[in-house]
Amino acid sequence: VIPDLDVMLKAAHEAVSLAARITRAVQRDPQRGHRLTKSDDSPVTIADFAAQAVIADRLSARLGRVTLVAEESARYLRDPAHAAALAACVEATAPVWPGVRAEDLLGAIDVGTTSIPLDASGEPTRSFWTLDPIDGTKGFIRGHQYSLCLAYVHEGVPVVAALACPNLSADVQRPYEDPDPVGLTFLAHAQGPVWVTACDDRHGRLDVLERAHTPAGGPIRLVGSYTAAHNNESTVNRLVRRLEETGVRVQRPQRLDSQVKYAVVARGQADVFLRTPRSAAYRENIWDHAAGSLIARRAGCLATDVLGKDLDFSRGVTLEDNQGIVCGPAGPHGVILGGLAALTTV
Ligand SMILES: [Mg+2]
């Protein structure tokens, strides 16, 4: 069954728009945005939980029962020791979900599962929504860029994407560290262009995004993770040196949190999002790439791993068969892949 892409995209847009209103309010009020720490030591805020709850609730209201694979679970908030955090979540959620109670919020968060559920025949389901309610939580806490990332994966391939970037400006001259008061949301499905619209106005005008291109004669402008641990720095440095030796000019990576990197490549503000594998064993989570990679691909970019393999979203909650990310228009994408291939032989 081919899903109705327009209906799904509309539901996804509404869901991330409402959730972005919460994340924006929490980020502006440091008292409420207090940082919590999950058992795996990763930071999380009340906004991560509130955003997941609102998105799960809105998708369910619009589309009926949904299968959602998402980063957060309600386990932390169900712990009586964290009652204050739960109360803060309910309070943060209420402006977009009037009358929400703690049980509603916990139930909505747990519409999502952190592993791939089994279908009726006992096999891992191949079609599901996947969500990172706040990608770039560290950037969110710092007051920098972050994104709300929702995608629908159909038979292992992302076909609907809603990527809300509440701090990204329509003005490409505005520094990434200077949060925009409006923000942008990027929307795409498998049979259309990329649309861009004001972040928290779900009834705002949708403009078709122009395809990404690289200005002739300039250096290849890289964008990479803010967090050094997400990248193998020495590989990036060797790559840049190697390409420069062969006469290719490369601008060292601008640092940027979250799937906002896919958006800036999609709109041509940077040429290549490069993430080198941080270790041979590390695998990327699907919710960290499903929405962003579809946006970039529909804008005319290629999104592969560092070996040039397509990203395979059918292998579980991680990109089991892929290492690292190279995303950009064909020209610069090919140059970076070629440079990486040459490194492995030296
Ligand atoms: Mg997250």
Side-chain angles (χ1 to χ4, degrees), residues 48 71-72 132-135 137:
D48 295 70
E71 184 175 26
E72 308 301 340
D132 190 343
I134 292 187
D135 186 24
T137 299

Side-chain angles (χ1 to χ4, degrees), residues 7 19 23 54 68 98 106 116 160 186 219 238 248 271 274 280 306 337:
V7 170
T23 62
V54 167
L68 176 66
L106 295 169
I116 308 283
V160 172
F186 298 81
R238 284 167 56 220
V248 177
D271 300 312
L274 172 63
V306 293
L337 271 192

Side-chain angles (χ1 to χ4, degrees), residues 67 116-128:
T67 304
I116 308 283
L118 302 182
D119 64 18
S121 55
E123 296 293 320
T125 185
R126 287 171 54 80
S127 298
F128 49 84

Side-chain angles (χ1 to χ4, degrees), residues 156 286 310-316 318-322:
I286 54 172
D310 283 338
L311 305 181
D312 184 350
F313 291 88
S314 71
R315 300 296 316 278
T318 61
L319 297 173
E320 194 53 43
D321 285 350
N322 297 112

Side-chain angles (χ1 to χ4, degrees), residues 144-145 167-168 174-179 254-256 264 269:
H144 287 175
Q145 299 291 332
N167 287 343
L168 184 66
R174 193 183 181 109
Y176 296 129
E177 297 74 23
D178 185 7
Q254 271 207 288
R255 309 216 161 278
L256 190 53
V264 304
Q269 190 175 3

Side-chain angles (χ1 to χ4, degrees), residues 24-334:
R24 187 189 293 289
V26 172
Q27 195 185 39
R28 283 188 183 154
D29 181 356
Q31 297 298 313
R32 284 202 310 185
H34 56 266
R35 176 188 171 134
L36 316 166
T37 301
K38 288 186 287 189
S39 54
D40 64 357
D41 253 4
S42 60
V44 65
T45 72
I46 60 165
D48 295 70
F49 293 119
Q52 180 162 324
V54 167
I55 290 168
D57 178 66
R58 293 324 300 163
L59 285 182
S60 304
R62 278 269 197 168
L63 304 172
R65 196 183 154 85
V66 292
T67 304
L68 176 66
V69 179
E71 184 175 26
E72 308 301 340
S73 98
R75 199 158 55 94
Y76 179 95
L77 293 177
R78 288 184 193 278
D79 182 340
H82 301 145
L86 176 57
C89 273
V90 172
E91 193 195 331
T93 306
V96 304
W97 186 349
V100 63
R101 298 163 306 163
E103 310 88 87
D104 305 324
L105 186 117
L106 295 169
I109 293 170
D110 280 343
V111 167
T113 55
T114 54
S115 57
I116 308 283
L118 302 182
D119 64 18
S121 55
E123 296 293 320
T125 185
R126 287 171 54 80
S127 298
F128 49 84
W129 290 93
T130 188
L131 170 69
D132 190 343
I134 292 187
D135 186 24
T137 299
K138 288 174 182 160
F140 177 81
I141 292 168
R142 235 188 282 116
H144 287 175
Q145 299 291 332
Y146 67 97
S147 49
L148 293 80
C149 313
L150 177 63
Y152 186 74
V153 175
H154 179 66
E155 300 290 329
V157 177
V159 294
V160 172
L163 179 66
C165 307
N167 287 343
L168 184 66
S169 182
D171 174 6
V172 296
Q173 302 302 327
R174 193 183 181 109
Y176 296 129
E177 297 74 23
D178 185 7
D180 188 74
V182 176
L184 294 173
T185 295
F186 298 81
L187 303 166
H189 65 54
Q191 293 164 8
V194 176
W195 291 278
V196 63
T197 184
C199 180
D200 47 7
D201 178 4
R202 67 183 191 277
H203 306 297
R205 198 182 72 191
L206 300 183
D207 291 320
V208 173
L209 184 75
E210 277 184 46
R211 289 167 69 92
H213 69 283
T214 301
I220 295 177
R221 300 161 301 163
L222 295 179
V223 61
S225 296
Y226 192 94
T227 309
H230 289 178
N231 248 315
N232 187 326
E233 285 300 309
S234 67
T235 306
V236 176
N237 290 335
R238 284 167 56 220
L239 170 71
V240 171
R241 268 205 311 276
R242 166 114 200 163
L243 287 172
E244 284 177 346
E245 281 164 16
T246 63
V248 177
R249 285 194 298 140
V250 182
Q251 204 174 78
R252 274 164 205 279
Q254 271 207 288
R255 309 216 161 278
L256 190 53
D257 292 285
S258 90
Q259 286 172 66
V260 169
K261 292 189 281 293
Y262 282 109
V264 304
V265 168
R267 71 172 175 175
Q269 190 175 3
D271 300 312
V272 175
F273 163 28
L274 172 63
R275 175 175 288 181
T276 52
R278 58 174 111 164
S279 74
Y282 183 81
R283 292 294 181 273
E284 305 283 341
N285 289 317
I286 54 172
W287 50 72
D288 288 331
H289 300 282
S293 63
L294 179 60
I295 299 285
R297 284 177 40 230
R298 297 310 302 172
C301 298
L302 302 173
T304 67
D305 70 4
V306 293
L307 299 174
K309 281 163 67 177
D310 283 338
L311 305 181
D312 184 350
F313 291 88
S314 71
R315 300 296 316 278
V317 292
T318 61
L319 297 173
E320 194 53 43
D321 285 350
N322 297 112
Q323 284 202 298
I325 304 288
V326 182
C327 175
H333 177 271

